[in-house]
Amino acid sequence: MTNFINIHTHFADKNTNICIKNSIETENFNEKKEQNLFFSAGVHPWNVEKENLEKVLTNISQLIENKRIIAIGEIGLDKICDSDFQLQKFFFEQQLHLAQSFNFPVIIHCVKAHSDILEILKRLKITIPLIFHQFSGNLQIYNSLNKYFSFFSFGKNLFFAKAKLLDFIKEIPLEKIFFETDDSEIPIEDVYLQASKILQIDVEILKMKTLENFNRIFLQK
């Protein structure tokens, strides 16, 4: 049977699922031996005021030499959190530069800042894979982001999304979709089951498609 792909989580999966755990602390992955457990490294927009950017970039540059680090993230912009927005943009741009230089996929956190992110992606001429986690945009935003090497991940929002979002999700090609648990304790299997109901597609097909997407992003590095 095909593994479930959990493209973004804050908790390590203890079974055989393939997952990317959000982390920047070396002790969180050096001790882990699970074959299917990988990590992303980056500074969340909520935390930019707590970090020294130069130190962060040096740390990430060192971390991504480890084969378990396969993405930079989660990074991004959030207009409803307390962090200074200009500082968020500065951190986001510098981490994007780093990801582009190392040809690393990026996991993006975006809250009410899609236009700002689009402006940055265009100005920096970003070509690396971009995974927009917990995506809740509309068709117009999707079409704009889709001009880049973009993917769209869904998780707990599938359980309480409005009908308009659920209808929109049905329009996204499976070649562009991932699923995640983020910071929730919902099992990834339940996320796939919920997606299966919404999309009216067998779970095994969703598993195969997301595995293909995973390989397309991470095997091309």
Side-chain angles (χ1 to χ4, degrees), residues 78-133:
D78 190 327
K79 283 191 172 179
I80 66 172
C81 73
D82 294 331
S83 299
D84 179 82
F85 192 66
Q86 293 305 313
L87 188 59
Q88 288 185 46
K89 291 175 70 173
F90 186 57
F91 266 73
F92 181 52
E93 290 187 23
Q94 295 306 310
Q95 291 178 98
L96 276 179
H97 273 302
L98 187 65
Q100 184 78 29
S101 66
F102 282 94
N103 193 30
F104 258 62
V106 173
I107 297 172
I108 295 180
H109 171 105
C110 180
V111 177
K112 298 187 181 300
H114 290 101
S115 60
D116 300 273
I117 283 181
L118 281 164
E119 185 277 324
I120 291 170
L121 295 177
K122 181 178 181 180
R123 174 162 45 82
L124 299 186
K125 299 179 180 180
I126 296 300
T127 58
I128 51 177
L130 308 170
I131 302 164
F132 290 86
H133 102 88

Side-chain angles (χ1 to χ4, degrees), residues 73-212:
E74 65 184 286
I75 64 175
L77 302 176
D78 190 327
K79 283 191 172 179
I80 66 172
C81 73
D82 294 331
S83 299
D84 179 82
F85 192 66
Q86 293 305 313
L87 188 59
Q88 288 185 46
K89 291 175 70 173
F90 186 57
F91 266 73
F92 181 52
E93 290 187 23
Q94 295 306 310
Q95 291 178 98
L96 276 179
H97 273 302
L98 187 65
Q100 184 78 29
S101 66
F102 282 94
N103 193 30
F104 258 62
V106 173
I107 297 172
I108 295 180
H109 171 105
C110 180
V111 177
K112 298 187 181 300
H114 290 101
S115 60
D116 300 273
I117 283 181
L118 281 164
E119 185 277 324
I120 291 170
L121 295 177
K122 181 178 181 180
R123 174 162 45 82
L124 299 186
K125 299 179 180 180
I126 296 300
T127 58
I128 51 177
L130 308 170
I131 302 164
F132 290 86
H133 102 88
Q134 211 63 252
F135 185 69
S136 59
N138 54 35
L139 182 60
Q140 181 180 357
I141 293 172
Y142 166 80
N143 286 333
S144 296
L145 295 173
N146 205 31
K147 295 175 182 177
Y148 298 89
F149 193 5
S150 298
F151 296 82
F152 305 88
S153 180
F154 302 92
K156 57 187 177 184
N157 53 348
L158 294 178
F159 293 87
F160 56 81
K162 296 180 180 179
K164 188 175 182 180
L165 176 60
L166 296 180
D167 290 338
F168 161 64
I169 291 172
K170 297 175 185 177
E171 302 299 318
I172 301 179
L174 294 182
E175 290 75 18
K176 290 285 185 177
I177 284 182
F178 281 111
F179 301 104
E180 64 179 77
T181 56
D182 193 19
D183 58 354
S184 77
E185 296 184 1
I186 302 172
I188 190 64
E189 294 87 348
D190 290 357
V191 175
Y192 275 75
L193 285 172
Q194 182 70 1
S196 174
K197 293 175 184 176
I198 294 168
L199 299 174
Q200 297 182 330
I201 297 173
D202 186 83
V203 170
E204 286 300 316
I205 294 177
L206 291 180
K207 289 166 67 178
M208 286 188 293
K209 286 295 184 180
T210 52
L211 180 59
E212 289 173 5

Side-chain angles (χ1 to χ4, degrees), residues 19-75:
C19 67
I20 302 178
K21 184 176 183 294
N22 190 75
S23 177
I24 197 171
E25 299 297 334
T26 55
E27 67 264 25
N28 285 344
F29 65 84
N30 281 339
E31 296 178 0
K32 299 293 184 181
K33 304 300 181 183
E34 292 88 344
Q35 182 178 357
N36 293 327
L37 177 60
F38 301 97
F39 295 84
S40 61
V43 177
H44 194 290
W46 295 356
N47 299 326
V48 294
E49 293 180 347
K50 303 175 184 177
E51 302 287 352
N52 177 286
L53 181 59
E54 183 177 351
K55 182 178 179 181
V56 163
L57 295 178
T58 299
N59 193 20
I60 294 175
S61 297
Q62 294 172 347
L63 288 177
I64 60 180
E65 294 179 3
N66 188 296
K67 292 182 179 180
R68 288 190 176 273
I69 299 287
I70 62 172
I72 290 180
E74 65 184 286
I75 64 175

